[in-house]
Amino acid sequence: MKKLLFITTVLLALLPQVACGNGNDEPVTPQQPEQPESPSGSDANEDTPGTPTPGGNSRYLVVYASRSGNTERVAKEICTQLNGDLLEVEPETSYDDDYNAMLDRAQEELAAIRQGNYPPIKTSVEDFDKYDMIFVGYPIWYSSMATPMQTFLHNHASKLAGKTLALFATSGSSGISTSVNEARALCPEAEFTQTLLLTSSSLPQMESRVASWLEQLNVNIDNNPEDMNTNTLKLTVGSKTFTATLADNSSVEALKERLAQNPLTISMTDYGDMEKVGALGFSLPRNDTSITTGPGDLILYQGSSLVIYYDTNSWNFTRLGKVDGVTTRAQMLDLLGGTGEIEVTLSL
Ligand SMILES: Cc1cc2nc3c(=O)[nH]c(=O)nc-3n(C[C@H](O)[C@H](O)[C@H](O)COP(=O)(O)O)c2cc1C
């Protein structure tokens, strides 16, 4: 569990429910807003926001804004399927209950945003370090992203740099494209995946639409908690599989969270006649200290590269573990198939 502080509202709710639809952009025709779908039943606002709660141990954060509950239902469905952490973005001034008043206010706020004035929100997040992917959900207002979420992205743009954002939206019938362009402009350094839009006609299929979207995003639905308890890492190089004993630090915890989803294959090349190094493709928290390595040491370099040592080196970096039963360069090189480029697959 790591360093995310939800300064205002964090809900770690795992409520299954309705259904989602697929994120193909629909043509965007600016149009009059439609009456929002009412959330079915009386459960739309059954969670009580307001109590700051530390983030869970998921790799996925689902952050959403929702006035009348539709987007919230989708957000909760994503959370349920992914075992994600849930966070509601709330406007500082509560939404208007009166629909017409809300329409007027939305138009005013959208006009203000165009002038660079973002309506204040209650919600902020200290950092997103622990998350591989952040799901960002909002209603479509006048073909645009609802204003509280625009403010949230605006306020957190620098913290979201380099992060992968998966946008999802609900609407009466409007498309999502305009809001995707808004999100890209608000967070120019974030990566964006395929999106999900649920309109009032596709909302009833929410569950299956969310499931197929998550499948397309290649995010694994099973955050297998049992895998998280292991202290052993399996490394496969060619036909050889060997094990390493993992260190006890937040870098390893984050790596295990990643590997609990899917094995990870890394291309590694030799460096300095002492190590093989390869990019993880994502960043892990760093716990750098001055270390003198030996054969078999698994090291995290600069938060984003895996190094397997077959000889000694001294540097400031993070220990991830140690290959079992290896004490010499020859033993380690034998497991790695000698020098030269390799692919190593890590799994729990
Ligand atoms: C201020 C406002 C503007 C809206 N504008 C549109 C719109 O342009 N196109 C559309 O299809 N639906 C529009 N809607 C309908 C909502 O997008 C839709 O009901 C959505 O599912 C509401 O999500 P929520 O329940 O999470 O608030 C608007 C609703 C409101 C309140």
Side-chain angles (χ1 to χ4, degrees):
M1 206 171 315
K2 274 143 261 131
K3 38 191 94 151
L4 184 80
L5 286 182
F6 295 154
I7 292 176
T8 55
T9 309
V10 175
L11 302 175
L12 293 177
L14 301 175
L15 304 183
Q17 252 115 39
V18 203
C20 251
N22 197 333
N24 298 326
D25 286 6
E26 292 181 4
V28 181
T29 319
Q31 57 181 229
Q32 280 303 301
E34 302 182 3
Q35 287 291 332
E37 283 258 311
S38 299
S40 61
S42 58
D43 60 343
N45 290 311
E46 99 190 347
D47 293 293
T48 310
T51 311
T53 311
N57 62 1
S58 177
R59 295 165 45 215
Y60 304 111
L61 174 65
V62 182
V63 56
Y64 71 96
S66 180
R67 173 182 166 272
S68 51
N70 292 336
T71 314
E72 181 176 63
R73 288 159 67 205
V74 181
K76 287 180 174 174
E77 179 61 33
I78 294 167
C79 255
T80 300
Q81 295 196 21
L82 275 183
N83 195 14
D85 295 341
L86 188 67
L87 172 65
E88 183 180 5
V89 171
E90 293 181 281
E92 205 160 274
T93 310
S94 308
Y95 297 111
D96 290 289
D97 287 337
D98 180 78
Y99 189 67
N100 288 327
M102 192 64 235
L103 295 183
D104 291 345
R105 172 174 156 187
Q107 280 184 307
E108 282 163 23
E109 290 185 353
L110 288 167
I113 286 176
R114 284 193 288 276
Q115 303 300 316
N117 299 318
Y118 288 80
I121 53 172
K122 290 185 193 169
T123 314
S124 72
V125 172
E126 188 166 298
D127 67 62
F128 298 90
D129 289 357
K130 63 176 282 199
Y131 295 111
D132 289 348
M133 193 180 282
I134 297 138
F135 291 80
V136 176
Y138 48 86
I140 300 293
W141 287 357
Y142 291 99
S143 294
S144 281
M145 178 183 293
T147 55
M149 189 55 80
Q150 293 207 42
T151 301
F152 182 83
L153 294 183
H154 173 260
N155 292 353
H156 294 83
S158 59
K159 292 174 184 170
L160 290 168
K163 289 284 166 191
T164 301
L165 305 187
L167 304 179
F168 64 99
T170 68
S171 77
S173 61
S174 289
I176 195 172
S177 308
T178 301
S179 69
V180 172
N181 292 336
E182 288 162 344
R184 287 181 184 279
L186 287 162
C187 296
E189 291 177 74
E191 306 283 328
F192 289 88
T193 67
Q194 198 174 353
T195 59
L196 172 70
L197 174 70
L198 288 174
T199 61
S200 37
S201 61
S202 55
L203 202 60
Q205 291 95 49
M206 173 169 76
E207 196 176 323
S208 60
R209 302 293 286 274
V210 166
S212 62
W213 183 48
L214 296 180
E215 219 174 282
Q216 283 164 16
L217 295 184
N218 207 14
V219 284
N220 204 322
I221 294 159
D222 243 339
N223 251 329
N224 189 345
E226 280 180 23
D227 285 346
M228 295 297 299
N229 295 332
T230 186
N231 201 24
T232 300
L233 177 72
K234 281 187 231 152
L235 298 96
T236 303
V237 180
S239 56
K240 271 189 194 141
T241 295
F242 49 97
T243 60
T245 299
L246 289 166
D248 183 11
N249 58 40
S250 61
S251 319
V252 168
E253 284 308 304
L255 179 63
K256 287 200 292 188
E257 282 171 22
R258 171 65 181 75
L259 296 178
Q261 311 303 311
N262 283 312
L264 175 68
T265 299
I266 303 170
S267 297
M268 304 190 80
T269 52
D270 296 275
Y271 180 78
D273 196 32
M274 60 189 175
E275 67 184 43
K276 284 191 193 288
V277 60
L280 290 167
F282 52 88
S283 293
L284 295 174
R286 292 167 71 163
N287 290 280
D288 291 352
T289 52
S290 177
I291 298 173
T292 298
T293 64
D297 276 325
L298 301 184
I299 295 290
L300 176 67
Y301 177 63
Q302 293 191 337
S304 57
S305 292
L306 174 71
V307 185
I308 305 177
Y309 274 93
Y310 47 82
D311 220 316
T312 57
N313 186 22
S314 293
W315 200 256
N316 233 28
F317 30 38
T318 300
R319 189 181 293 286
L320 293 176
K322 173 98 172 54
V323 176
D324 298 323
V326 165
T327 51
T328 67
R329 174 186 169 108
Q331 285 170 329
M332 191 64 245
L333 274 176
D334 182 47
L335 290 175
L336 295 171
T339 54
E341 192 169 340
I342 58 164
E343 293 219 314
V344 59
T345 299
L346 310 181
S347 58
L348 295 177

